[in-house]
Amino acid sequence: MVFFTEEQKRFCQWVRAFALKEFSEGAKERARLDYVTPGVIKKLADTGLLELGTTAKYTKKPMDYVTIGIAHEEICKVEFPAMIVLLIQYLVYGLAEWMSDELREEVLPATSAGKRLLCFANTEPDCGSDAAAIKTTAVRDGDFYIIRGEKTSISGGMQSDAVVMTAKTDPEAGVKGITLFYVPLTAPGVSRSVFRDMGNIPAGRASLIFDEVRVPATFRIGEEGEGFSKVMRTFDVSRVLVGLAALGLAEASLAEAVEYVKTRTAFGSSLSRFEGVSFKLAEHATRMEAARLLCYKALKLRDEGLPHSKEAAMAKWFAPSCAVEATHDVLLIFGNRAYSEVHVAQQRWRDAISCQIGDGTAEIMKLIVAREMLGPKFSPTM
Amino acid sequence: MEFEFSKDEELWQWAVKDFAERELGTQELATLDHIPRDILKKMGDLGFFSLRVPEEYGGNPATWVMIGMLAEEIAKTSIAIAHAIMVSYEVSLPLATYGTDRAKDEWLSGLTKGNKLGCIALTEAGGGSDVNETRTIAIRDQDGYLIRGEKMPVSFGTQGDVGLLFAKTNPDIGIGGLTALLVPLGLPGIRKSEIKTMGLFPSAPCSFTFDGVRVPAEYRIGKEGEGFPIHAGMGLFSDFNQIISGLIALGAAQTAMKLAVSYSKERVAFGRPIVKFEAISEKIAENATLIEAARWLCYRALALKDRGGSNRKEAAMCGWWCPKVAYQAIKDSLLIHGHAGYCDDHPFQQMLRDIVAFEMISGTENILKLIVSHKTIGLVAVPDSVSDHFGYC
């Protein structure tokens, strides 16, 4: 990437080599499991990739956002299921400064060591895109809060030890009534069930039900009513990271197609010699490169402290869409053989679609972009 | 110019629709690893496998349009059953047209009644779009043929009773050496190995190994060397495959759209049903437009066939475009449902897996566009290495 610093370039080389060395073997089989293997988590933790924090105060390895993006792209080229683990660790460090000392002590060492897996929960059965419409409540009871409600569509929900979640501490106050909590999923009153998805199976997407779950008040993150703004702030990065993860996956798919079309022959020449095939690959390479640059631009803006919500939203709808189209065409280029349930091309296509849905639909992203372009007065109303 | 189905055709469509809703809509078929035989039998009793088959073999006169309606209506409820119907006709119609009396007597009535299921053994590991590469051979041995080779993937191979196989009777020449043979799948020397797929599970494909399998000479369909013109990939029946698979894909897409319409009326975000947002309603409108255009392209291609005109160009257009339209409509319907659409609580993820098969069934998009190029531009648009094939088209 042209604008990477020397240090970022070195990190990129290192993490690419690391991913290839550590995750190439067995990646295909792991993609079909319904959990992220402890081996993968341990390898990520051992190299410090689970403390991708930007706040030097709380992490041994402060990193800029571009570097965090590089980690997502490169790891997901080889081990896509690692995405949810990387994403959530980033999110935790993003929220660390608002945690109580007690909570930081409880959470940070264990998560960066890969010993505690976290997930993030906002979506509920009746609201996804409309994030402020949540119904889960947290009622103060002395030194505790009592949480009631249902969260759904939670990536990593089945496997995680704890959740960072939103709940309303003041149901009358709209977005200003939303507060963030850290909730151990081993707490009494928590139950979970899994969705059987078409792809990204290791994410173990789940519904979490909270039936009068008591959590210490020290597990609140930030003040009451600050949850929505804090979450939205972190979304501006996680959206880009999902985009880069999807692109990493699609880059791997494209690379596999490039090798295949050189060796497969039809009508006496390699498939690559037919424009109908090779130009399709060229088109996807172009779109994916544009999407990549957009993603890194958004992260770079964030690193420089500049506004980047628009770019992040652009990246979130565009990059996964490029990834899905590319993996779909690659699947069709491989033809019948890729229709087999063990073929990597169909796996990557099924996985890529998950990135189009998670972390915000294309419609919400386009709304954000439109608002930035048109201003609130002339934007579509919600 | 008329855009109307005949009264008979409309009645037929109604009968198929009624059956599909009553018998197929009430059960979970998409995840089975086979087509239930009782369904085939019921459809056989209703004449679903009898269209255009000669009456002495239990057949009924019908238009090609009626076969299209059958496929489309069934696919609205079950993509896999519609696939079984299409493949069954790809065996029975060449058999009816080119088969010997013995082959017809022994197999045609069974296929027509839904007692027997056929499959097509054409593709091999080494050659998909390019049938020149066919390695399976059939050597004349007195009053029979000895077949050696491998075929994969063969849809319905694991459960089929009889295969229409394409093998070289003259390995020294290209497509002119290809011959069609009817092969009962219980014969000695046949080995099957199941192929686990990403979708279209009830069609359960397998690979076949034929190790000196002997079939009577009377099971040859057509003359030696006439296999290519007969086969469903690019020969005389390829238009059928291209159009019918297009209509199956579009049938499924219409169901996905219907579900997306009702969901988006019920699902509320930001205080109103999401269908009130243009991002949703325009997507539905766009897909409805494309589906409507694609459907009529299919029926136009079938109507041309009914009138005895050439439909090669229109059929190839259906072959590449309709599955693409269907893929987009189903995928958009899935995304409209958000994460709910991504899991097996809803049919979309299964439909999308299934529809990818239809993006491959008539050959690659490239080969189909090549046929369209040939018909719209001329032989100059066809690469030299491929032009041999187009002599037949």
Side-chain angles (χ1 to χ4, degrees), chain B residues 372-386:
Chain B
V372 180
S373 302
H374 176 227
K375 291 293 167 191
T376 49
I377 305 167
L379 210 52
V380 64
V382 178
D384 293 345
S385 56
V386 192

PDB file of all heavy atoms in Angstrom, chain B residues 372-386:
ATOM      1  N   VAL B 372     -24.668 -16.770 -27.883  1.00  0.00           N
ATOM      2  CA  VAL B 372     -25.373 -15.533 -28.231  1.00  0.00           C
ATOM      3  C   VAL B 372     -24.529 -14.709 -29.207  1.00  0.00           C
ATOM      4  O   VAL B 372     -25.039 -14.176 -30.206  1.00  0.00           O
ATOM      5  CB  VAL B 372     -25.718 -14.706 -26.969  1.00  0.00           C
ATOM      6  CG1 VAL B 372     -26.441 -13.417 -27.357  1.00  0.00           C
ATOM      7  CG2 VAL B 372     -26.573 -15.508 -26.001  1.00  0.00           C
ATOM      8  N   SER B 373     -23.237 -14.633 -28.946  1.00  0.00           N
ATOM      9  CA  SER B 373     -22.330 -13.896 -29.854  1.00  0.00           C
ATOM     10  C   SER B 373     -22.394 -14.488 -31.251  1.00  0.00           C
ATOM     11  O   SER B 373     -22.477 -13.766 -32.248  1.00  0.00           O
ATOM     12  CB  SER B 373     -20.875 -13.996 -29.384  1.00  0.00           C
ATOM     13  OG  SER B 373     -20.741 -13.505 -28.099  1.00  0.00           O
ATOM     14  N   HIS B 374     -22.328 -15.807 -31.300  1.00  0.00           N
ATOM     15  CA  HIS B 374     -22.368 -16.492 -32.590  1.00  0.00           C
ATOM     16  C   HIS B 374     -23.629 -16.125 -33.357  1.00  0.00           C
ATOM     17  O   HIS B 374     -23.590 -15.850 -34.561  1.00  0.00           O
ATOM     18  CB  HIS B 374     -22.291 -18.007 -32.350  1.00  0.00           C
ATOM     19  CG  HIS B 374     -22.428 -18.819 -33.596  1.00  0.00           C
ATOM     20  ND1 HIS B 374     -23.261 -19.901 -33.680  1.00  0.00           N
ATOM     21  CD2 HIS B 374     -21.847 -18.696 -34.807  1.00  0.00           C
ATOM     22  CE1 HIS B 374     -23.190 -20.409 -34.896  1.00  0.00           C
ATOM     23  NE2 HIS B 374     -22.332 -19.703 -35.601  1.00  0.00           N
ATOM     24  N   LYS B 375     -24.753 -16.087 -32.624  1.00  0.00           N
ATOM     25  CA  LYS B 375     -26.035 -15.825 -33.288  1.00  0.00           C
ATOM     26  C   LYS B 375     -26.238 -14.350 -33.621  1.00  0.00           C
ATOM     27  O   LYS B 375     -26.973 -14.022 -34.538  1.00  0.00           O
ATOM     28  CB  LYS B 375     -27.194 -16.311 -32.401  1.00  0.00           C
ATOM     29  CG  LYS B 375     -27.260 -17.825 -32.286  1.00  0.00           C
ATOM     30  CD  LYS B 375     -27.617 -18.449 -33.623  1.00  0.00           C
ATOM     31  CE  LYS B 375     -27.370 -19.953 -33.616  1.00  0.00           C
ATOM     32  NZ  LYS B 375     -27.461 -20.546 -34.951  1.00  0.00           N
ATOM     33  N   THR B 376     -25.634 -13.471 -32.854  1.00  0.00           N
ATOM     34  CA  THR B 376     -25.859 -12.047 -33.118  1.00  0.00           C
ATOM     35  C   THR B 376     -24.752 -11.438 -33.979  1.00  0.00           C
ATOM     36  O   THR B 376     -24.995 -10.504 -34.725  1.00  0.00           O
ATOM     37  CB  THR B 376     -25.954 -11.230 -31.807  1.00  0.00           C
ATOM     38  OG1 THR B 376     -24.857 -11.582 -30.980  1.00  0.00           O
ATOM     39  CG2 THR B 376     -27.233 -11.517 -31.068  1.00  0.00           C
ATOM     40  N   ILE B 377     -23.545 -11.986 -33.856  1.00  0.00           N
ATOM     41  CA  ILE B 377     -22.417 -11.396 -34.579  1.00  0.00           C
ATOM     42  C   ILE B 377     -22.010 -12.269 -35.762  1.00  0.00           C
ATOM     43  O   ILE B 377     -21.730 -11.786 -36.849  1.00  0.00           O
ATOM     44  CB  ILE B 377     -21.206 -11.204 -33.635  1.00  0.00           C
ATOM     45  CG1 ILE B 377     -21.614 -10.380 -32.407  1.00  0.00           C
ATOM     46  CG2 ILE B 377     -20.046 -10.523 -34.372  1.00  0.00           C
ATOM     47  CD1 ILE B 377     -20.604 -10.395 -31.280  1.00  0.00           C
ATOM     48  N   GLY B 378     -21.978 -13.572 -35.502  1.00  0.00           N
ATOM     49  CA  GLY B 378     -21.554 -14.499 -36.548  1.00  0.00           C
ATOM     50  C   GLY B 378     -20.339 -15.291 -36.113  1.00  0.00           C
ATOM     51  O   GLY B 378     -19.794 -15.071 -35.022  1.00  0.00           O
ATOM     52  N   LEU B 379     -19.913 -16.184 -36.977  1.00  0.00           N
ATOM     53  CA  LEU B 379     -18.815 -17.100 -36.635  1.00  0.00           C
ATOM     54  C   LEU B 379     -17.515 -16.346 -36.349  1.00  0.00           C
ATOM     55  O   LEU B 379     -16.636 -16.835 -35.649  1.00  0.00           O
ATOM     56  CB  LEU B 379     -18.613 -18.103 -37.782  1.00  0.00           C
ATOM     57  CG  LEU B 379     -18.082 -19.490 -37.405  1.00  0.00           C
ATOM     58  CD1 LEU B 379     -18.900 -20.133 -36.303  1.00  0.00           C
ATOM     59  CD2 LEU B 379     -18.017 -20.382 -38.629  1.00  0.00           C
ATOM     60  N   VAL B 380     -17.424 -15.116 -36.856  1.00  0.00           N
ATOM     61  CA  VAL B 380     -16.220 -14.311 -36.647  1.00  0.00           C
ATOM     62  C   VAL B 380     -15.989 -14.064 -35.150  1.00  0.00           C
ATOM     63  O   VAL B 380     -14.853 -13.872 -34.704  1.00  0.00           O
ATOM     64  CB  VAL B 380     -16.322 -12.970 -37.420  1.00  0.00           C
ATOM     65  CG1 VAL B 380     -17.464 -12.101 -36.898  1.00  0.00           C
ATOM     66  CG2 VAL B 380     -15.014 -12.199 -37.349  1.00  0.00           C
ATOM     67  N   ALA B 381     -17.068 -14.103 -34.358  1.00  0.00           N
ATOM     68  CA  ALA B 381     -16.954 -13.824 -32.926  1.00  0.00           C
ATOM     69  C   ALA B 381     -16.558 -15.066 -32.124  1.00  0.00           C
ATOM     70  O   ALA B 381     -16.366 -14.999 -30.916  1.00  0.00           O
ATOM     71  CB  ALA B 381     -18.270 -13.271 -32.396  1.00  0.00           C
ATOM     72  N   VAL B 382     -16.444 -16.206 -32.812  1.00  0.00           N
ATOM     73  CA  VAL B 382     -16.160 -17.449 -32.111  1.00  0.00           C
ATOM     74  C   VAL B 382     -14.677 -17.802 -32.265  1.00  0.00           C
ATOM     75  O   VAL B 382     -14.176 -17.812 -33.399  1.00  0.00           O
ATOM     76  CB  VAL B 382     -17.032 -18.592 -32.678  1.00  0.00           C
ATOM     77  CG1 VAL B 382     -16.721 -19.903 -31.994  1.00  0.00           C
ATOM     78  CG2 VAL B 382     -18.511 -18.249 -32.533  1.00  0.00           C
ATOM     79  N   PRO B 383     -13.967 -18.033 -31.167  1.00  0.00           N
ATOM     80  CA  PRO B 383     -12.553 -18.391 -31.281  1.00  0.00           C
ATOM     81  C   PRO B 383     -12.364 -19.624 -32.174  1.00  0.00           C
ATOM     82  O   PRO B 383     -13.203 -20.525 -32.164  1.00  0.00           O
ATOM     83  CB  PRO B 383     -12.146 -18.719 -29.845  1.00  0.00           C
ATOM     84  CG  PRO B 383     -13.172 -18.071 -28.982  1.00  0.00           C
ATOM     85  CD  PRO B 383     -14.423 -18.008 -29.775  1.00  0.00           C
ATOM     86  N   ASP B 384     -11.290 -19.626 -32.933  1.00  0.00           N
ATOM     87  CA  ASP B 384     -11.037 -20.732 -33.873  1.00  0.00           C
ATOM     88  C   ASP B 384     -11.128 -22.089 -33.198  1.00  0.00           C
ATOM     89  O   ASP B 384     -11.706 -23.029 -33.732  1.00  0.00           O
ATOM     90  CB  ASP B 384      -9.642 -20.578 -34.493  1.00  0.00           C
ATOM     91  CG  ASP B 384      -9.587 -19.347 -35.384  1.00  0.00           C
ATOM     92  OD1 ASP B 384     -10.682 -18.827 -35.718  1.00  0.00           O
ATOM     93  OD2 ASP B 384      -8.472 -18.903 -35.720  1.00  0.00           O
ATOM     94  N   SER B 385     -10.556 -22.170 -31.994  1.00  0.00           N
ATOM     95  CA  SER B 385     -10.500 -23.456 -31.317  1.00  0.00           C
ATOM     96  C   SER B 385     -11.888 -23.978 -30.953  1.00  0.00           C
ATOM     97  O   SER B 385     -12.063 -25.144 -30.647  1.00  0.00           O
ATOM     98  CB  SER B 385      -9.639 -23.345 -30.055  1.00  0.00           C
ATOM     99  OG  SER B 385     -10.157 -22.325 -29.224  1.00  0.00           O
ATOM    100  N   VAL B 386     -12.878 -23.112 -30.961  1.00  0.00           N
ATOM    101  CA  VAL B 386     -14.228 -23.497 -30.547  1.00  0.00           C
ATOM    102  C   VAL B 386     -15.154 -23.668 -31.743  1.00  0.00           C
ATOM    103  O   VAL B 386     -16.223 -24.253 -31.637  1.00  0.00           O
ATOM    104  CB  VAL B 386     -14.822 -22.413 -29.600  1.00  0.00           C
ATOM    105  CG1 VAL B 386     -16.082 -22.900 -28.917  1.00  0.00           C
ATOM    106  CG2 VAL B 386     -13.792 -22.007 -28.546  1.00  0.00           C
TER     107      VAL B 386
END
